[in-house]
Amino acid sequence: MTEREFRYRKHPTLKLFHESPASVRGIRGPVGSGKSTACCWEIWIRAHAQAPAPDKIRRSRWLIVRNTYRELTDTTLKTWLQWFGDAGELNRQEMTFRVRYADIDIEVMFRALDRPDDVKKILSLEITGAWVNEAREVPFGIIRGIRDRVGRFPPVRDGGPTWHGVFMDTNSPDDDHWWYRLSEEERPEGWQFFAQPGGLIEQDGKFVSNPAAENVANLPGAADYYLSRVGGAGRDHILVYYCNQFGFVREGRAVYPEYLDHVHTAKDVLELIPGLTVYVGIDFGLTPAAVLAQRTVSGQWRWIDEITSEDIGAVRFAEALGRKMRSEYRGHQFAIFGDPAGEQRSQVDERTPFDVLASAGIPAERAPTNDATIRREAVAGALTRMIDGQPGLLLSPRCKTTRKGMAGAYHYRRIQISSEERYTDEPVKDKYSHPCEAGQYLMLGGGEG
């Protein structure tokens, strides 16, 4: 490596982040706050602090994760190369960056992981530590899997790692995200979270620059960087990306533009109506979900409750659904409809998800169709009906994830075409799509569509 001088300024929150010895650390901040740069430097600092092996070489191996390959190469990798591109060599075929000079030997692996089952891609890795970039886009199952791989390099015979662990950065997620739960409510032992000041603060109903904002001097326009972006941005976008507040930002094109939250969500929790059938819709997969509903005599659909999950199989999900049906819904008749794709047999034990439900005492049947247009219209038709002055579909506040999905989180992703606005034909598959599609199956089973 040719001699090169690096200049990196640790802003107050980032300084605390670097100084923390916690084995799992997270830093949350607005756009442009220097989070990614800090994480690149965290690898560099920890690698140089690694104790030498018996042969006097300081070896370390690092994993850098982003949710998609495109974002990994367009953002994360470019940030790393901006700082350390001259310090080593990138093997693009293996997506590995290697630094060797003096007594330093650093290996950095770049990987795209966005689904819980992607953990299998890292099962054999032996690494010192890992950086998860934009962690709000990564399922918690990935974080859990990565934690099992750190601390394995260098091997004990060479002295082991001086420090090992996982660190993460993100823009603010929603308040039902695992980041919020772990940073604001549960805080596992050995974990530490840091929140940077927002670039903007709200005063007297107006957004103004925050004098405590970090990294502003390195942004285009400096003090005016955030204010210059307020025009044309929605309030939810401003609060999340510029003010660093937890919240939900609508992106892409909503699957249900017919949904109006103030119309279609009840002010109070909807209670079960005695004597009416309970309809259950189920969406399968690694993140199965269910929505439970009733239809009144007048024809109004009332979505009463939901069951959502993360990184669990059909057996555990069936157990959770069965417990709820036997306790909270005891004495009611059920009509249960699942995703027709649930008739596909598992490669492990050749049982279908419907077989698993049946063994748990849940007599589900396949929904009439899996046609995406018919499924959407089955719900949209009820959303656009009025019955005795009430909407044809009413959600209970208990359906938190479903509600956010209906409000726009269940969406079609925009395709990057400069000449026109175009969107994918199929909705984005995530934690919001699963309960919303479960709702579609129950509506189809109930005769809609």
Side-chain angles (χ1 to χ4, degrees):
M1 182 184 81
T2 57
E3 186 174 343
R4 178 182 175 187
E5 181 179 354
F6 294 99
R7 292 183 179 273
Y8 168 58
R9 177 187 174 189
K10 299 177 183 178
H11 297 285
T13 308
L14 301 179
K15 184 174 185 293
L16 295 174
F17 167 77
H18 287 303
E19 292 174 349
S20 170
S23 61
V24 181
R25 284 169 290 151
I27 184 162
R28 173 174 60 87
V31 296
S33 63
K35 304 181 297 298
S36 296
T37 291
C39 289
C40 288
W41 272 95
E42 179 66 9
I43 291 177
W44 194 257
I45 293 168
R46 297 286 179 180
H48 282 71
Q50 169 65 35
D55 62 359
K56 310 302 182 183
I57 302 299
R58 303 174 188 269
R59 293 185 180 85
S60 60
R61 182 181 296 146
W62 304 85
L63 175 68
I64 297 180
V65 170
R66 188 69 195 258
N67 60 312
T68 69
Y69 181 79
R70 173 59 62 86
E71 289 167 320
L72 180 73
T73 55
D74 287 355
T75 60
T76 314
L77 178 60
K78 286 185 176 179
T79 300
W80 176 266
L81 295 177
Q82 176 186 343
W83 282 104
F84 306 119
D86 294 341
E89 183 177 349
L90 174 65
N91 184 325
R92 287 192 175 272
Q93 183 174 354
E94 298 182 0
M95 286 300 287
T96 300
F97 188 87
R98 196 70 179 266
V99 178
R100 291 191 184 98
Y101 75 96
D103 65 344
I104 299 298
D105 187 347
I106 308 171
E107 183 180 359
V108 182
M109 298 177 289
F110 295 83
R111 298 292 184 268
L113 308 172
D114 64 349
R115 293 178 58 83
D117 57 343
D118 282 343
V119 171
K120 62 188 178 184
K121 297 179 182 179
I122 60 172
L123 285 180
S124 61
L125 292 185
E126 295 182 345
I127 55 178
T128 308
W131 164 32
V132 181
N133 184 213
E134 199 53 55
R136 70 174 187 172
E137 304 294 341
V138 176
F140 185 66
I142 295 289
I143 308 299
R144 189 167 53 233
I146 292 174
R147 287 195 68 202
D148 292 336
R149 310 315 305 169
V150 301
R152 294 171 175 253
F153 187 87
V156 174
R157 66 176 180 272
D158 291 336
T162 302
W163 177 90
H164 66 272
V166 179
F167 48 94
M168 310 169 285
D169 75 292
T170 191
N171 295 129
S172 291
D174 204 351
D175 59 9
D176 64 355
H177 194 274
W178 61 260
W179 184 291
Y180 180 89
R181 172 172 52 85
L182 296 179
S183 65
E184 305 297 319
E185 298 175 343
E186 298 178 5
R187 190 65 63 88
E189 184 177 354
W191 293 50
Q192 193 167 6
F193 290 88
F194 303 86
Q196 294 178 282
L200 298 176
I201 53 177
E202 193 170 10
Q203 292 181 347
D204 301 324
K206 294 183 179 180
F207 292 104
V208 299
S209 295
N210 184 359
E214 298 179 349
N215 198 48
V216 173
N218 295 318
L219 299 175
D224 294 330
Y225 175 81
Y226 292 105
L227 279 177
S228 67
R229 282 155 175 73
V230 168
R235 178 177 173 80
D236 55 354
H237 185 97
I238 296 170
L239 291 175
V240 169
Y241 289 107
Y242 306 152
C243 298
N244 197 29
Q245 294 184 18
F246 289 105
F248 160 63
V249 179
R250 300 185 185 188
E251 297 179 354
R253 179 166 62 88
V255 173
Y256 289 112
E258 301 90 347
Y259 176 85
L260 301 173
D261 192 67
H262 67 283
V263 172
H264 295 105
T265 295
K267 293 181 174 59
D268 301 310
V269 171
L270 297 179
E271 302 294 342
L272 278 168
I273 299 176
L276 293 184
T277 298
V278 175
Y279 289 86
V280 182
I282 303 173
D283 186 51
F284 300 113
L286 284 172
T287 51
V291 172
L292 298 94
Q294 288 183 308
R295 191 176 193 180
T296 66
V297 175
S298 63
Q300 183 190 52
W301 284 99
R302 296 158 61 92
W303 289 12
I304 298 170
D305 202 357
E306 67 181 12
I307 299 178
T308 58
S309 64
E310 182 177 332
D311 193 21
I312 69 172
V315 174
R316 289 171 56 196
F317 177 76
E319 292 171 352
L321 177 58
R323 284 194 300 270
K324 181 175 282 288
M325 291 170 57
R326 289 189 297 270
S327 57
E328 300 174 37
Y329 295 83
R330 181 189 298 273
H332 284 270
Q333 295 293 320
F334 294 93
I336 307 168
F337 301 92
D339 177 359
E343 292 187 327
Q344 297 177 2
R345 296 188 180 278
S346 167
Q347 295 180 356
V348 178
D349 60 7
E350 297 189 352
R351 291 195 301 169
T352 71
F354 284 106
D355 293 334
V356 173
L357 289 173
S359 65
I362 302 173
E365 56 183 288
R366 69 189 302 276
T369 180
N370 211 359
D371 182 275
T373 300
I374 297 176
R375 286 194 285 115
R376 199 205 84 87
E377 294 304 316
V379 178
L383 289 172
T384 55
R385 286 199 300 266
M386 295 297 291
I387 300 172
D388 297 333
Q390 293 288 320
L393 174 57
L394 192 63
L395 272 67
S396 173
R398 295 178 70 182
C399 301
K400 292 182 179 180
T401 305
T402 310
R403 178 181 180 181
K404 289 177 180 176
M406 297 292 288
Y410 179 40
H411 68 283
Y412 303 99
R413 180 180 285 117
R414 181 174 178 177
I415 301 173
Q416 298 299 321
I417 298 179
S418 58
S419 60
E420 59 180 319
E421 284 195 359
R422 293 185 61 185
Y423 300 88
T424 55
D425 294 329
E426 295 291 331
V428 174
K429 298 294 185 181
D430 57 17
K431 69 175 185 177
Y432 299 107
S433 69
H434 302 306
C436 288
E437 293 181 3
Q440 294 173 350
Y441 295 128
L442 83 84
M443 297 291 276
L444 285 169
E448 294 285 346

